[in-house]
């Protein structure tokens, strides 16, 4: 099993910055792609950014140029640097990752518990 624990959320004024972190822990696993999703009240969960093991990235159009996803493979950690935050970025942000788990290396998908990001106007 793999556990994902997010940190770094909080309250920030519009135009400010936050950095989210998501650390994976467990035994006998190898991380694959890692992603950040978000879900605002009354809306569906949406993909914000994704990063492959090799560092290839993609972003939702709404965050391009403002958010940067990165990862530290040695620490099994993914980050989301969020700059120029807007009130519409307010949401619960979730870490999501694929991992090869166990001696048979099954590919499984995991979610973190979420961290609240609130941007005030």
């Amino acid at each position: 099993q793999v556990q994902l624990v997010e940190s770094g959320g909080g309250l920030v004024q519009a135009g400010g910055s936050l950095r989210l972190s998501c650390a994976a822990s467990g035994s006998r696993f190898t991380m694959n792609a890692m992603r950040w999703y978000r879900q605002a009240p009354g809306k569906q969960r949406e993909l914000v950014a994704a990063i492959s093991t090799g560092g290839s990235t993609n972003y939702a159009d709404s965050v391009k140029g403002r958010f940067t996803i990165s990862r530290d493979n040695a620490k099994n950690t993914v980050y989301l640097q969020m700059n120029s935050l807007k009130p519409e970025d307010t949401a619960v942000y979730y870490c999501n990752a694929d991992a090869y788990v166990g001696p048979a290396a099954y590919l499984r998908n995991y979610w973190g518990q979420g961290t609240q990001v609130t941007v005030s106007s």
Side-chain angles (χ1 to χ4, degrees):
Q1 280 286 14
V2 175
Q3 293 79 42
L4 302 178
V5 178
E6 300 107 332
S7 60
L11 173 65
V12 64
Q13 288 188 330
S17 298
L18 283 174
R19 189 193 194 208
L20 305 183
S21 300
C22 171
S25 62
S27 60
R28 306 186 76 173
F29 71 96
T30 301
M31 298 307 298
N32 197 4
M34 304 184 81
R35 310 168 191 88
W36 287 98
Y37 284 79
R38 67 185 181 188
Q39 187 166 21
K43 295 188 176 181
Q44 289 189 331
R45 192 171 297 189
E46 63 172 351
L47 178 64
V48 175
I51 186 167
S52 69
T53 52
S56 297
T57 59
N58 62 77
Y59 298 91
D61 288 342
S62 59
V63 306
K64 282 180 181 177
R66 300 187 298 121
F67 291 10
T68 302
I69 189 171
S70 61
R71 63 190 291 168
D72 184 333
N73 291 330
K75 296 181 179 179
N76 290 316
T77 299
V78 63
Y79 305 96
L80 186 67
Q81 178 66 44
M82 304 185 294
N83 298 329
S84 302
L85 283 161
K86 304 175 182 180
E88 51 263 45
D89 294 318
T90 295
V92 178
Y93 284 70
Y94 296 91
C95 178
N96 174 269
D98 298 328
Y100 293 99
V101 181
Y106 291 112
L107 184 63
R108 300 195 184 280
N109 184 261
Y110 296 92
W111 289 91
Q113 81 286 355
T115 185
Q116 177 70 46
V117 171
T118 303
V119 184
S120 63
S121 57

